Amino acid sequence: MNWIIKKPDLNVIKSIMDSYDVPKEVAIIMNIYELSDQLYLKRFMFPSINNFHNPFLMKGMNKAIKRIFKTIESGQKVFILGDSDADGISAAALLYEGINFFGGEVKAFIPNRQKEGRGLRKVHIDKAISHRCDLLITCDCGMNSFESIEYANEKSIDVIVTDHHLLNDKISNAYAILNPNQTGCEYPFKDLSGSGVALKLLQGMIKYKNLKMETSQFGINLAVFGTLSDMVPLVDENRLIVKLGLKNLPNSNNKGIKKLLKKTKIKKPISTSDISHYVIPKLNSIARIGDSNIVLELLTTKNENKLNSIYFELNHNNEKRLNIQKQILREADQFIKSKVDLNREKIIICYSIDWEYGLLGIIASKLRNQYKKPVILISFKDFDVGRGSFRSVTGFDSIEVLNKLNSYLISYGGHKMASGLKIKKSNFNNFKDVLLKYANLKLNNQKLEKSPSIDLKIKFSEINFTFIRFLKKLEPYGLKNKQPKFMTKRVRVIGNPILTTDGEHIKFIVRESNKSFNAIGFGLVHLYEILIIGVPLDMVFFVEIGRRNEKDIVQLNVKNIRLSSMNSIIN
């Protein structure tokens, strides 16, 4: 496989170097990130809470806010229904805290994914009525709950939908809909998560009452979890949410957030990987095998005594989830090896009567990354009806695919890269046959495993304080704000590589240009033999900056290694 180094326009690079007085390697990265415009550069490098878009640009915002304050001022209750993942829960917690802030009475609830499914149901309308609420607000769900919303209207319950999913142009008869992707909405940023949309509602309420936008920081702190968990592009307002949220999380007054940071031993400066690896899996795990209202309570309770027991249950469920997940992963991998023709079939479809549906999304993602193909895992635990998770690849829109096969499905929903579905067992074989034919046709000429694309060939001597400080300003990294990938030629390994305790990763020291760095290769144990033969190597890596003893520590996160004699680098 070739390594491809992006070739910059040298005239543009020279112009950036002259305009901003930066070295060539910084100018190349600035060009890749399109940071040559001074106004955009300032907003990108020095984000401010005042950079958020006007919430009233979102269709339905004014109507929704007036209705909420009508309920608050009349002493009525608001019922909040959140989806059962980290995005929906953090959105529900955000609006719960926001309505409380304005003096409103509020009841928040997260449905049990296993028993009730996802989305707004009639039973939730009845629950709102039992709590004497006259207004129901959905979080990260509700766009396709047509029958339930009609039922709410019959029962004189107004529904405000806050969501970011959109399957088609059909719109329900809700009192108000806040979704930047709905037809006729001119909101300038379309890629908000569910918690991002909830944050815009909070910011609208703050603006409506002529308060300073800084007031919304408590909502930003909660929206961080939903934004990172939902894998939305980390650009525009999503980048603002994460950048401002990570900076302020250590100072949060939210007792649940404080407990999460303390128990997971996360310290300043907090990174996206800290939250993604140590916090979000805990928030999501209980939804997959238990009751997500525990997470909601963690993020909203003011009772210090409850926090320890809540966190204990959360951690216990996460460990339980990990064990079940490993078992399903082993079974799915065995299914693939024995029943899937990987040479002929462009999509992997597996099923079982034993799998926990709530864990299939995580496992499908792992298998997609492992096999570099779209993956669908279906659990027929309910015998006649299967529930599945679909994780796709670039160029194969999962919703577009399911739209074409909707006649075989009971229901479906999600995004381009990730979706869920429900199907009758009697329809499964036909569904599978048609899907395999469609995928084989669509993906036949598409190269799923791409060659590594490298942003910059660099010498270790160029990885200096100025360059590192610049890279820190580019954070947080994520979808559409990719971490720059570097390549250095003819590096040498110093000493012997060390395997991590779990035997999956490898640590070593590399030297080039009389400068050495610590390096780690996650999942690269198979390259051990190359590392110990004592010859020059070419290496593709990310530059990562951590903190130890109040100092920046540089570590190279290695993505690929090969012998320098293998001359297959394309400029």
Side-chain angles (χ1 to χ4, degrees):
M1 185 185 296
N2 294 324
W3 291 2
I4 302 170
I5 300 177
K6 295 175 182 175
K7 192 172 183 180
D9 185 324
L10 295 181
N11 291 327
V12 173
I13 300 307
K14 180 69 165 59
S15 174
I16 294 173
M17 291 171 67
D18 293 341
S19 299
Y20 295 100
D21 190 25
V22 294
K24 183 178 179 180
E25 59 272 12
V26 171
I28 290 173
I29 299 300
M30 287 178 66
N31 183 47
I32 291 168
Y33 275 73
E34 300 179 348
L35 297 176
S36 55
D37 178 78
Q38 287 194 3
L39 180 60
Y40 181 70
L41 176 66
K42 182 179 179 182
R43 288 169 65 95
F44 188 91
M45 291 294 199
F46 306 99
S48 161
I49 203 164
N50 296 315
N51 293 153
F52 280 103
H53 301 300
N54 182 347
F56 286 95
L57 294 174
M58 190 175 290
K59 184 178 179 180
M61 183 65 72
N62 192 55
K63 186 178 182 183
I65 287 171
K66 286 181 177 179
R67 181 62 184 84
I68 291 169
F69 279 116
K70 177 185 175 184
T71 291
I72 292 173
E73 289 160 8
S74 64
Q76 297 294 313
K77 288 182 182 178
V78 178
F79 190 89
I80 294 174
L81 182 88
D83 193 22
S84 57
D85 62 9
D87 191 22
I89 298 166
S90 57
L94 191 163
L95 289 182
Y96 177 92
E97 294 289 291
I99 291 170
N100 267 329
F101 175 81
F102 286 103
E105 264 196 274
V106 57
K107 168 68 179 176
F109 178 74
I110 309 295
N112 186 301
R113 185 186 297 186
Q114 307 303 317
K115 296 177 181 177
E116 302 171 59
R118 305 180 77 164
L120 177 63
R121 306 295 176 97
K122 291 180 180 180
V123 66
H124 304 137
I125 311 298
D126 293 336
K127 187 177 284 288
I129 293 170
S130 71
H131 285 281
R132 298 182 180 179
C133 302
D134 72 340
L135 175 63
L136 187 152
I137 305 175
T138 71
C139 293
D140 194 34
C141 62
M143 283 303 292
N144 300 303
S145 302
F146 305 108
E147 291 183 9
S148 299
I149 288 171
E150 287 301 330
Y151 180 72
N153 292 337
E154 291 170 9
K155 298 292 184 179
S156 300
I157 303 290
D158 287 336
V159 177
I160 296 173
V161 172
T162 74
D163 201 354
H164 65 128
H165 304 96
L166 193 66
L167 287 182
N168 48 54
D169 292 334
K170 188 178 178 183
I171 297 296
S172 70
N173 194 27
Y175 183 86
I177 296 174
L178 301 181
N179 184 332
N181 296 298
Q182 66 177 304
T183 302
C185 182
E186 297 181 358
Y187 194 73
F189 184 56
K190 303 294 186 181
D191 288 321
L192 289 166
S193 65
S195 55
V197 176
L199 176 64
K200 297 313 299 182
L201 177 54
L202 172 64
Q203 290 182 337
M205 294 168 72
I206 287 167
K207 190 174 178 68
Y208 185 79
K209 290 295 185 179
N210 296 313
L211 300 176
K212 291 184 177 179
M213 197 49 65
E214 285 79 3
T215 310
S216 69
Q217 185 62 56
F218 71 88
I220 294 172
N221 294 344
L222 286 164
V224 167
F225 302 122
T227 301
L228 288 177
S229 70
D230 224 45
M231 299 295 288
V232 289
L234 280 191
V235 296
D236 205 294
E237 289 192 310
N238 291 335
R239 185 171 186 275
L240 264 180
I241 289 168
V242 175
K243 188 86 172 179
L244 298 178
L246 293 179
K247 182 180 178 181
N248 285 279
L249 279 182
N251 306 316
S252 173
N253 292 322
N254 186 298
K255 294 181 184 295
I257 291 176
K258 284 184 174 181
K259 180 65 69 175
L260 283 169
L261 298 183
K262 182 180 178 180
K263 289 291 187 179
T264 51
K265 298 180 180 178
I266 293 174
K267 296 179 180 178
K268 294 191 293 186
I270 300 174
S271 68
T272 55
S273 60
D274 287 334
I275 301 301
S276 297
H277 293 157
Y278 302 115
V279 176
I280 289 171
K282 285 183 168 60
L283 303 185
N284 273 330
S285 64
I286 200 160
R288 303 180 193 284
I289 56 174
D291 182 3
S292 293
N293 287 287
I294 294 169
V295 182
L296 181 65
E297 189 174 11
L298 176 77
L299 296 176
T300 56
T301 187
K302 307 297 185 287
N303 187 332
E304 192 75 42
N305 295 327
K306 278 187 175 182
L307 286 173
N308 284 326
S309 61
I310 292 173
Y311 185 83
F312 177 83
E313 186 170 354
L314 207 62
N315 204 48
H316 171 74
N317 275 280
N318 191 47
E319 291 173 359
K320 182 179 175 184
R321 185 265 305 175
L322 285 170
N323 290 330
I324 298 172
Q325 185 177 305
K326 287 177 183 177
Q327 176 64 26
I328 296 174
L329 181 60
R330 282 194 296 268
E331 292 176 7
D333 204 34
Q334 184 58 43
F335 185 106
I336 292 167
K337 288 183 170 85
S338 62
K339 297 183 179 180
V340 176
D341 185 346
L342 291 171
N343 292 323
R344 189 175 63 84
E345 296 174 7
K346 302 296 182 183
I347 185 170
I348 293 171
I349 306 169
C350 306
Y351 58 90
S352 171
I353 61 170
D354 298 318
W355 294 341
E356 290 284 349
Y357 163 71
L359 297 175
L360 297 187
I362 297 174
I363 298 161
S365 293
K366 288 179 179 291
L367 293 170
R368 183 260 320 270
N369 295 339
Q370 178 181 342
Y371 290 101
K372 312 297 182 188
K373 293 186 176 190
V375 174
I376 295 181
L377 301 181
I378 299 177
S379 171
F380 284 104
K381 207 167 186 177
D382 295 334
F383 299 107
D384 292 335
V385 174
R387 299 171 70 194
S389 282
F390 187 169
R391 296 297 179 266
S392 198
V393 296
T394 303
F396 195 66
D397 186 329
S398 73
I399 290 300
E400 181 182 297
V401 172
L402 296 179
N403 278 338
K404 291 182 181 299
L405 282 82
N406 67 2
S407 61
Y408 299 103
L409 302 173
I410 297 171
S411 60
Y412 62 96
H415 313 282
K416 288 182 179 181
M417 301 293 283
S419 56
L421 60 92
K422 188 181 285 190
I423 184 171
K424 288 182 179 179
K425 197 170 187 178
S426 57
N427 285 339
F428 173 70
N429 287 334
N430 289 335
F431 168 80
K432 180 183 176 183
D433 290 343
V434 174
L435 179 54
L436 283 172
K437 288 176 184 176
Y438 178 77
N440 290 346
L441 181 66
K442 181 87 172 175
L443 296 172
N444 189 45
N445 297 316
Q446 185 172 321
K447 192 176 181 182
L448 296 182
E449 187 172 5
K450 296 181 178 179
S451 300
S453 180
I454 298 157
D455 295 302
L456 180 64
K457 184 166 66 175
I458 195 168
K459 291 183 176 294
F460 280 5
S461 59
E462 294 169 329
I463 305 175
N464 52 35
F465 177 75
T466 300
F467 190 63
I468 291 167
R469 187 171 58 179
F470 169 72
L471 290 180
K472 284 178 72 71
K473 288 289 187 182
L474 299 179
E475 296 175 352
Y477 300 122
L479 190 63
K480 292 191 180 177
N481 190 50
K482 293 290 187 182
Q483 187 172 5
K485 190 180 287 183
F486 304 103
M487 191 274 288
T488 300
K489 298 184 71 174
R490 302 189 67 79
V491 307
R492 288 187 178 271
V493 177
I494 307 301
N496 291 321
I498 299 170
L499 300 185
T500 56
T501 53
D502 58 10
E504 294 185 3
H505 317 303
I506 190 164
K507 293 182 177 181
F508 51 100
I509 298 171
V510 281
R511 179 185 291 274
E512 189 272 338
S513 301
N514 295 318
K515 192 170 186 178
S516 301
F517 289 109
N518 291 321
I520 186 166
F522 292 102
L524 296 184
V525 174
H526 61 284
L527 296 177
Y528 183 87
E529 297 298 328
I530 292 178
L531 295 174
I532 62 174
I533 59 178
V535 299
L537 304 171
D538 297 338
M539 192 168 75
V540 178
F541 57 91
F542 297 126
V543 176
E544 297 185 342
I545 304 105
R547 294 283 285 177
R548 189 182 301 161
N549 299 325
E550 302 302 316
K551 291 183 180 179
D552 283 333
I553 302 296
V554 178
Q555 176 177 265
L556 307 185
N557 182 344
V558 179
K559 308 313 291 181
N560 214 331
I561 298 171
R562 67 170 165 218
L563 301 175
S564 293
S565 58
M566 295 173 65
N567 187 19
S568 52
I569 298 170
I570 300 174
N571 286 291

